[in-house]
Every structure is written in C-alpha cells, then in structure tokens.
Amino acid sequence: MHAEVEQTRRRGRLKTALTVLVAVVLTPLTIWLGTKVPGNGYYLSGTLIVAYSIVPFLVSFEGRRPQARELAVLAVMAALAVASRAVFIWVPHFKPMAAIVMVAGMAFGPQAGFLVGTVSVLASNFIFGQGPWTPWQMLAFGVAGLIGGALTGTGLFPRQGLSWPRRVALAAVGFLTILCVSGPILDTSTLFTMMAFLTPGSAVAIYLAGAPINAIHGSAVALTLLLVANPLLDQLARVRDKYGVLAGGGGKG
C-alpha cells in the first residue's frame, strides 16, 4: 500500500515537472520557431503545443488502463470554455474563458488545466480566427489553467465547498492572473506580431495600452469565478467521486 502511494506521488511530481517544462520552455521555444516557418507557421506551432500539453496528462496512464471518461470530462470542460468565450463574442475584451480553464485546473490538476487551456483556445479560434497570435493565446490560457491547478495542489484552495471569503479570494486571484500573467503574455504577442522594430519605448507603449484591456478581461474572469467556480467545482467533485476520475497529482478527490 505504501509503495502504491509513493508511486502515485512520484507520478504526480513527474507530471507537474513536465507541465512546467512545457509551459516555461517548450511552448515559448515552439512559438519562436513557428515565426521562422514561412507561411502559416502558427498552425504547426499550435499543433505541437497541444501535443506537448497532452504528454504530462498521459503520464497519469502509466501503470494503469486509460479511462475514456477522464478524457471525456476534460473535453466537456474545454467545450464549456469555448462556449463561455463565444457567448460574449460581441462584448469587447469580456472573456470569461480563463475562469473555466482555471476551474478545470483546480478540479483535476495543473496538467489538466494547461491542456484544457491550450485546446480551448485552438478550438475557439476557429470561431474568432486563427493567426500568429494563436500559439501565444494557447500559452496564456494554458498558464492560467496551470495556476488554477497550483491553487488546489498547494492547498491554498479546496477542490470543492468554497466559503464566501474563499470565493472572493479566488476571484481576486483570477483578476491578478489575467492582469499580471496571461494578459502580458498576450501583449507580448502583439509586440512581436504587430511591431516591425522593437524598442524599449514601443514595448512600454504596448504594455501600457494593454493594461485597460487586461483589466476588463480580468474583471470578466473574476466575476465568473465568483459566481460559477463553487457550484462547478462541487459538480466536478461529484463526477470524480462517482466515476473515479483522478485529480491533482494522481489521487482521487
């Protein structure tokens, strides 16, 4: 029994390490290499990023039979994230999608959160439009899912039953995630795809211009987390308990 628990913990640590490697090293490197490919190199970049994000999740299948319901639950979360973005297509910069991605990470771990984030962007951009910005968006929303997973993985937030103070705190974290992490990643995309020549002045101008947009985006995420995160997490907890879907580093619930 002890050996099995230790193996589960070791697998969880490996998954987390692989996810961080994908988010911090492989994805940015792939985005940069995609810019060197003539034509629509972002299609290649996007495909590779999704492939990278699947690898840490597949590590959980080591030593056991893969369960289709695990993939199905994540597919449903990705579809819900896409729908949350599409519903507000006519409201400029108001995008609740990152909130759903963060909830997926909180419920099923940082690996699942990163995967749901990258897949959601790639799928939703068939509505909003693919382009050189797509891999950057995949990175930005994947990192949001990674952060969501870290919130529960480190014990800062429970995976269900959030009290009102925790809901408010989670909303604040969601706002800061967009304002300070995901938003600036998207601004960096603008910097590299729209500017012919990079200078410190142009970089400052891009990031300052993006701050109000990120604030609106962050407000949408915060509001969604405040209203939706707790009931959605409770529903996902019931799914985990009923179907034995693994969460976090590889343990149930």
Side-chain angles (χ1 to χ4, degrees):
M1 183 66 178
H2 177 74
E4 183 179 349
V5 172
E6 183 58 32
Q7 183 182 15
T8 299
R9 290 176 178 173
R10 185 164 56 248
R11 188 183 301 134
R13 289 193 292 268
L14 176 59
K15 287 168 61 182
T16 300
L18 284 174
T19 304
V20 172
L21 174 66
V22 167
V24 176
V25 179
L26 291 181
T27 298
L29 179 61
T30 300
I31 292 173
W32 178 78
L33 290 175
T35 63
K36 307 300 180 182
V37 177
N40 299 331
Y42 54 85
Y43 282 117
L44 176 61
S45 297
T47 302
L48 288 175
I49 291 169
V50 170
Y52 297 156
S53 63
I54 290 174
V55 170
F57 183 76
L58 290 181
V59 172
S60 65
F61 293 154
E62 180 186 358
R64 65 185 180 89
R65 180 177 297 177
Q67 299 179 11
R69 54 178 169 262
E70 298 179 36
L71 297 175
V73 171
L74 295 187
V76 169
M77 292 302 296
L80 182 59
V82 171
S84 71
R85 185 183 182 190
V87 164
F88 293 95
I89 190 172
W90 304 115
V91 184
H93 315 307
F94 192 90
K95 294 178 286 188
M97 187 169 77
I100 306 301
V101 171
M102 291 183 70
V103 168
M106 294 177 69
F108 301 110
Q111 304 81 23
F114 190 84
L115 175 60
V116 170
T118 57
V119 171
S120 299
V121 168
L122 188 63
S124 63
N125 273 6
F126 284 104
I127 301 173
F128 287 82
Q130 305 285 355
W133 53 83
T134 296
W136 292 93
Q137 291 175 329
M138 295 172 71
L139 173 61
F141 284 86
V143 168
L146 179 63
I147 291 173
L151 294 178
T152 53
T154 57
L156 293 176
F157 289 87
R159 286 198 170 93
Q160 63 184 112
L162 297 177
S163 62
W164 268 107
R166 288 292 182 89
R167 297 182 203 184
V168 174
L170 179 60
V173 170
F175 178 82
L176 292 175
T177 296
I178 299 301
L179 189 67
C180 302
V181 182
S182 297
I185 291 175
L186 298 175
D187 295 336
T188 303
S189 166
T190 303
L191 190 65
F192 280 95
T193 57
M194 302 295 291
M195 304 297 295
F197 300 98
L198 297 180
T199 65
S202 64
V204 170
I206 290 293
Y207 288 117
L208 288 178
I213 297 173
N214 295 334
I216 297 172
H217 185 183
S219 298
V221 171
L223 181 61
T224 304
L225 288 172
L226 184 65
L227 299 178
V228 174
N230 192 60
L232 187 53
L233 284 170
D234 288 347
Q235 290 289 340
L236 293 174
R238 283 191 280 272
V239 170
R240 289 198 309 270
D241 294 338
K242 182 175 181 179
Y243 297 107
V245 177
L246 298 182
K252 289 183 182 183

